[in-house]
Amino acid sequence: MLKKVLVQDPSCPFQLSVTDEAQPEIRFQSELQILYLLSGEMTCTLEGRSYRLGQWDFIFINTYEIYSISTVSPDCRYLRLKVEENRLRPLFSTKQPMLFQWEESLNNRERELYRRVAAGICDMAVDAVNRPQGYLASIYRSGLDVLACLEQQCRQYAVTEGEERQSAAFRQKAREIMDFLNEHYTEPISLNDAAKLVYLSPPYVSRIFKDAFRIGFLEYLNYLRIRKSLPMLESDRHIIDIAIECGFSNAKTYSRVFQGEMGITPTEYRKQKRETIYRKNDLPEWQSEKKEQILTLVGQAQSALQEGGDTEQYPIRYDFSQPSEPQEERPWYKVLNVGMASLVLHRHIQDDILRAEKELRVEDVRLTGVLSDILQIYQEDEFGNVSYFWDMLDEVLDFLQDNKIRPFLCLGYMPEKLAARKVVSPYIWSANTSKPASMTKWCAYLRAFLSHLVRRYTYEEVCRWKFEFWNSPQLQGSFWHDSREEFYEFFFQSYMVFRQVLPDGCFGSSGIIYIDQYKAVREFLQWCKERGVRFDIYCLHSYELNDPGNRENQSLNEQYAKRSLAENGRDYLLKSIHAFQEIVEELDYKAPIYITEWNISPYFHDLTRDTCFMSTYIADMINHLPSSVASISYWALSDATGEHTPNQTPFAGELGMLTRTGLAKPAYLVFLLLVLIRGKVLESGENYMITQSSYGWHILMYNATYYTEDFLQSSRRLQSGTDRYQVFKEKKTLRFNLHLTVPEGYYRLENHFLNREEGSVYDAWAAMGGPRYMDHTTHRLLRRLAAPKIQVQYKVLSGNVLFSEEVPLHGLQILSLVRIEDPADGWREG
């Protein structure tokens, strides 16, 4: 038998229970009741009329209405909500008893009343079983919503002319008698006493009981007294004391009436109750077995309730109580992209680096343009005499070393006086991207650079750093202006110098970008393998082209800019990784893959980049990356990349995770949250990932979408500064129904939320009206708003538990279950 009181607290006017028992005898209660059928079929008889109920139907029983319940099928399970509506009446518009007219059409699934009542009762059941912190307040709110819906949408008994007035008056008199008996049942009460109360004759009062309740006056009084005595039998009080306190003259009369009502004696009832009593510090049997039934049934009801609505159901089942083999390691965020090395000379960039190193727990900081003129290292006079000045380089690297941060140096570009010709990259820092005029001088420069690092920071330390040689040479006309064969020779000579100075150093490939199905990459890697080049890591760059109509960066390589839409799309990053994997496996030329530059697009002003879309896009990519990828690095840390003229608008869709003034965009916050779940991946699927760390178990849930085809085929100027979400495909809210099995124990439950309402600084700015200029107060306010929301609960969990979490479009959520061995460690029962 499944029978359990889920909520019974003196402070709460709602009592919720779940049962499968039939009640064929005629009954009536002093509370309003709502029955919600979780499974099977049953018949409920109200005032002599029978109603057949199927799965997920509900019916309400007014106060003191005569009813009986018959289960039609053996799998009948239902929730019973009892409401002490007299305690809640002052909150509603009517001060009269809440008596509702039942109609079978109320179970129409399309009606608002049905959906609100069913959803409210299900939410109460989940809260009652899981008992999160403040669950009674949540149950109170849900219960009030159910009552408010009934009051607004159900036809109540009205006090009108004629017969209806007489009927209402008749019921009112009956209620007055019942209320009197409930208050004075401990006293000697007679039929005459009740008649005097309502100014009626004793025969008329007797008729009220016979006609309205199908029961005699004395029968009801005895029934009431027995019910009031049941909780007392759970104590150690003497039965005679209980009998007298409940209005019986002696224990013998009490026992006789009790046995007639309950079928057993008070002593037998007490014995049975003690054998099954719930002890506060124990985890009862029902939590491990019957609790699973309740959560499963309620979860099915919630799923059915959401079908055809604005929410799509997403069930997830996982058993944490059983050991499981972790999946392959995920490539977490390990390399922080700052941009040009000279940016580290700025105080605000240093602050951003220290913040990200602490919050994102990165291992390396990647700097580009290290050998170019931007740090003013290479000097050559008119006679060709070369000298090197290390001051600015030392200041940059000393800052990282002083803060125990490892550099990841991209070796390039060409100093102006060493370049064969004057050709520059398409950015305002105008680094020269030609071959050297003298290979001898270039090799000497590179040898001097590496030797200086060894002298200043030790050989062992520098061998812990990573080096990437050049950036995207496949983009001829942008980052390399000479022939492929000339780059091959330039690359090989540089490699030989590196291995001579740092034979144990970590040498990476040039930044490889997915162009022309990697034909040029295959050719280059084949050439390197034949000459014995050893790569310690491969460095890949990946940028989608979500805006073929963009003409802002006309100086980008034409082949890159005109890449077909077929080569783009949501899975572009994954396609490029798999294509590169095929090459290295075919050549048997393997090394760890680092995605050293990655973003949704290479454009300076991509307005979608500031939105919550980026957080779910990033989470989705991290979830699906293969284990061959050792790290993935977003380009870039800050909008202050030094690549283009600053925009005066605070949110101009620039390339950073932080704005120029340090406001954290959703792209930054998602990496901040992913730090929480770093560890072994236990299971992953579309829209979710489950991991285990030394901290606990974690479930990442997200609701991602992608651009519409119309947007991809047209121009990004379809968006405005404060309205950027209309370019994405519509998608429903996802309701994740988590059915988890956990070992018995105390737990801290942490819920982290990031969506348009919680954490998105762009959306907060847009809600302000998108001010172009921000004063200090506004900036401080936005900085406080740029943080995910967190909720913490403390609970006892055992066996099967159910969580139901709604994640809106462009939103994500992380649920962490942290087991607490010592209950005194911040734990309190919720």
Side-chain angles (χ1 to χ4, degrees), residues 166-333:
Q166 184 177 1
S167 175
F170 184 86
R171 286 184 172 275
Q172 180 61 28
K173 292 294 184 182
R175 288 179 61 86
E176 290 177 9
I177 295 171
M178 294 299 182
D179 290 341
F180 173 77
L181 295 180
N182 280 321
E183 185 176 353
H184 299 281
Y185 69 92
T186 61
E187 306 167 9
I189 301 175
S190 66
L191 182 61
N192 288 334
D193 295 329
K196 289 178 182 178
L197 171 71
V198 293
Y199 304 104
L200 296 174
S201 66
Y204 190 74
V205 171
S206 179
R207 178 192 158 195
I208 288 177
F209 273 90
K210 292 292 185 182
D211 292 350
F213 306 117
R214 314 294 199 273
I215 193 173
F217 174 83
L218 185 59
E219 289 178 273
Y220 174 75
L221 184 58
N222 285 335
Y223 166 85
L224 178 63
R225 287 169 170 169
I226 293 298
R227 293 295 169 181
K228 296 291 186 181
S229 73
L230 294 180
M232 300 180 188
L233 289 172
E234 298 178 12
S235 67
D236 293 329
R237 297 179 60 186
H238 294 296
I239 289 180
I240 188 172
D241 294 335
I242 296 174
I244 292 174
E245 184 171 333
C246 291
F248 292 97
S249 58
N250 53 63
K252 184 178 180 180
T253 303
Y254 172 60
S255 294
R256 175 176 53 79
V257 175
F258 190 98
Q259 188 165 10
E261 177 67 29
M262 304 297 294
I264 57 176
T265 66
T267 303
E268 292 170 335
Y269 177 86
R270 170 175 278 177
K271 181 180 179 181
Q272 290 182 6
K273 199 67 176 177
R274 285 180 174 176
E275 290 175 352
T276 59
I277 191 169
Y278 174 88
R279 294 177 175 83
K280 184 177 181 180
N281 296 325
D282 293 337
L283 292 172
E285 177 186 357
W286 78 274
Q287 282 195 331
S288 60
E289 297 178 2
K290 297 181 180 178
K291 181 178 177 180
E292 180 181 2
Q293 297 180 35
I294 298 170
L295 293 176
T296 300
L297 291 171
V298 173
Q300 291 171 351
Q302 289 177 317
S303 298
L305 192 60
Q306 296 298 332
E307 288 180 3
D310 295 329
T311 305
E312 179 181 343
Q313 299 301 306
Y314 203 100
I316 298 176
R317 298 179 68 97
Y318 196 82
D319 187 350
F320 290 112
S321 65
Q322 300 296 325
S324 59
E325 288 295 325
Q327 295 184 357
E328 298 170 327
E329 184 71 36
R330 280 295 187 277
W332 305 109
Y333 191 77

Side-chain angles (χ1 to χ4, degrees), residues 49 84 111 142 193 291 308 401 406 472 527 579 602 621 652 823:
R49 183 178 176 184
E84 297 179 49
R111 290 191 63 172
S142 297
D193 295 329
K291 181 178 177 180
Q401 287 289 283
R406 291 202 305 257
S472 306
W527 187 92
M621 292 299 103

Side-chain angles (χ1 to χ4, degrees), residues 135-151:
Y135 77 97
L136 284 177
S138 179
I139 286 172
Y140 191 88
R141 288 192 300 269
S142 297
L144 286 181
D145 185 67
V146 169
L147 284 185
C149 187
L150 289 176
E151 187 194 30

